[in-house]
Amino acid sequence: MGKAEFLTPKAISNRIKAKGLQKLRWYCQMCQKQCRDENGFKCHCMSESHQRQLLLASENPTKFMDYFSDEFKRDFLELLRRRFGTKRVHNNIVYNEYISHREHVHMNSTQWETLTDFTKWLGREGLCKVDETPKGWYIQYIDRDPETIRRQEELARKKKQEMDDEERSAKFIEEQVRRGRDGKETEETPVYTELMRESEEEKVVFNLGATACVAGPSKPSAALGPSALKAAAAPPSVKRKDPPSGSDSKSEKKKKSALEEIIEMEERKRKQTTRTDYWLQPNIVVKVVTKKLGERYHKKKAVVTEVRDRYGAVVKLIDSGDKLKLDQNHLETVIPAPGKRVLILNGPYRDTEALLEGIDEKSFSATLTLDSGHLKGKRVDVAYEDFSKLA
């Protein structure tokens, strides 16, 4: 039977069928040829070109499978990044959109048998965040592009700079308020001077607000005379009248209340500090809780030698000395015996060293005595996961 002529109904029908997707079982990945029915696929398998491709594949089958697997992974992740970004999406939705392209790499030519196996592999390799739900597997792309990371770091740096400017302005305002209070207290404090005269003939003048009393040597008053003579005869280092003790205690009380107010403001700032979802710090002792590394490392203690990207850390095992790179989800804090030094990792007293005083098992917290900072010596209650033993 000859080929249908151009623009005949049969030719148009054939072109429409050739445009759309056909059945996967009639597709040859090695030759990248889609057959329309079983008879056509059988004829293709008997063709000389197909036999040559099979001979090439039989020489090194792993090479071809790796090539198709890499192509499938690259195209799938590119579609996920471009189409959905970092949103959480069902894996079947992405796969259906991927296979809608006619020239796509079929999964039956890759190392993965099912879409679920491919999804689990993406999670193990750290290319995507995967989680299983009653509705199926969901994936979320992890963008590790250097330009994106640089942009995120720049935004974080700008945000930190704005916060630093706000803290700097707040400190400047507090300093101005403190100076104003100190100056006001200094102005209100009375100043007392010695009552002295160089000669007996000089007049003694008392300034008592609106009234003034003038006394001469020829007519000394009975009340003022003796005290004036005593003051003249006294050595210069002795004051005639000492300041009242109530004034000193009052000024000290005012200064003390101002200091307490500053401490309360700092304490309030600490309490308003929001918790962070990262807690790793260098030179602390942690415990490996993941089972993916085998029983050799499970429940083993290690020292954090380096923190990477806030959520990852390079740890050195205390027993064997092996070095591992782990995520913070695979680690947990270590609670030492009472009297040992610890480091607070989260909360209002973050990055503060302390001494472990006691443990409250009912509330899952411990009593710590701060050993650094301006609040040194203060006792606080901190949850188990917010502090760890110092190396």
Side-chain angles (χ1 to χ4, degrees), residues 82 105 114 124 183 237:
R82 187 181 67 251
V105 178
T114 61
R124 286 195 301 270
S237 61

Side-chain angles (χ1 to χ4, degrees), residues 249-282:
S249 61
K250 187 176 181 181
S251 61
E252 288 178 3
K253 186 177 180 182
K254 285 185 178 179
K255 290 180 181 177
K256 188 176 179 181
S257 63
L259 183 61
E260 288 178 352
E261 187 174 351
I262 292 173
I263 293 175
E264 287 178 2
M265 290 175 67
E266 292 184 358
E267 190 71 20
R268 203 177 303 118
K269 282 184 180 179
R270 280 180 170 273
K271 290 182 179 179
Q272 289 175 356
T273 304
T274 55
R275 294 175 58 84
T276 57
D277 57 349
Y278 55 90
W279 53 268
L280 288 173
Q281 293 287 349

Side-chain angles (χ1 to χ4, degrees), residues 85-233:
T86 55
K87 296 180 180 177
R88 181 172 173 268
V89 62
H90 200 284
N91 61 349
N92 205 33
I93 295 176
V94 186
Y95 182 72
N96 287 334
E97 190 162 341
Y98 170 75
I99 64 175
S100 62
H101 180 58
R102 188 183 179 192
E103 301 298 329
H104 71 276
V105 178
H106 291 268
M107 186 174 284
N108 61 353
S109 61
T110 65
Q111 61 183 0
W112 305 288
E113 295 182 359
T114 61
L115 181 60
T116 301
D117 294 340
F118 177 63
T119 304
K120 293 179 180 178
W121 182 84
L122 290 177
R124 286 195 301 270
E125 293 295 321
L127 299 173
C128 297
K129 295 179 181 178
V130 300
D131 58 310
E132 186 179 11
T133 65
K135 295 183 179 180
W137 287 86
Y138 282 81
I139 58 177
Q140 184 178 359
Y141 181 71
I142 301 175
D143 195 352
R144 302 185 186 276
D145 185 35
E147 183 66 22
T148 305
I149 296 174
R150 186 190 62 78
R151 231 177 7 250
Q152 292 175 353
E153 290 179 351
E154 187 176 349
L155 289 174
R157 196 182 308 113
K158 190 180 295 184
K159 186 176 180 182
K160 183 180 179 182
Q161 186 177 1
E162 292 176 357
M163 291 178 64
D164 291 344
D165 292 341
E166 291 178 1
E167 291 178 359
R168 199 178 297 114
S169 61
K171 287 182 180 178
F172 177 74
I173 292 171
E174 288 178 10
E175 184 68 18
Q176 294 294 329
V177 171
R178 186 183 63 79
R179 288 181 180 177
R181 287 176 179 170
D182 293 346
K184 189 175 180 182
E185 290 175 2
T186 306
E187 290 175 2
E188 291 179 354
T189 305
V191 180
Y192 301 96
T193 59
E194 296 179 359
L195 180 61
M196 297 178 61
R197 63 179 179 179
E198 296 179 358
S199 63
E200 294 291 335
E201 297 179 357
E202 187 181 353
K203 294 181 179 180
V204 181
V205 180
F206 295 94
N207 244 342
L208 300 176
T211 61
C213 299
V214 181
S218 58
K219 294 181 180 181
S221 172
L224 298 177
S227 61
L229 293 174
K230 287 180 182 179

Side-chain angles (χ1 to χ4, degrees), residues 63-80:
K63 175 183 175 182
F64 286 92
M65 181 174 290
D66 292 343
Y67 171 76
F68 290 135
S69 300
D70 291 340
E71 288 289 317
F72 179 83
K73 179 200 72 173
R74 181 176 59 81
D75 296 341
F76 189 91
L77 290 177
E78 179 64 22
L79 174 65
L80 179 62

Side-chain angles (χ1 to χ4, degrees), residues 17-76:
K17 289 178 181 178
K19 273 187 177 181
L21 292 173
Q22 307 295 325
K23 289 188 177 181
L24 179 61
R25 60 178 177 171
W26 296 332
Y27 181 81
C28 177
Q29 185 66 62
M30 284 297 301
C31 303
Q32 296 183 359
K33 180 176 178 61
Q34 175 70 60
C35 300
R36 200 172 300 167
D37 51 21
E38 188 175 357
N39 185 40
F41 185 70
K42 181 179 178 182
C43 293
H44 169 72
C45 292
M46 295 171 63
S47 64
E48 185 180 353
S49 62
H50 180 74
Q51 297 296 326
R52 280 200 303 268
Q53 292 292 337
L54 289 182
L55 289 174
L56 290 174
S58 63
E59 292 177 0
N60 194 353
T62 309
K63 175 183 175 182
F64 286 92
M65 181 174 290
D66 292 343
Y67 171 76
F68 290 135
S69 300
D70 291 340
E71 288 289 317
F72 179 83
K73 179 200 72 173
R74 181 176 59 81
D75 296 341
F76 189 91

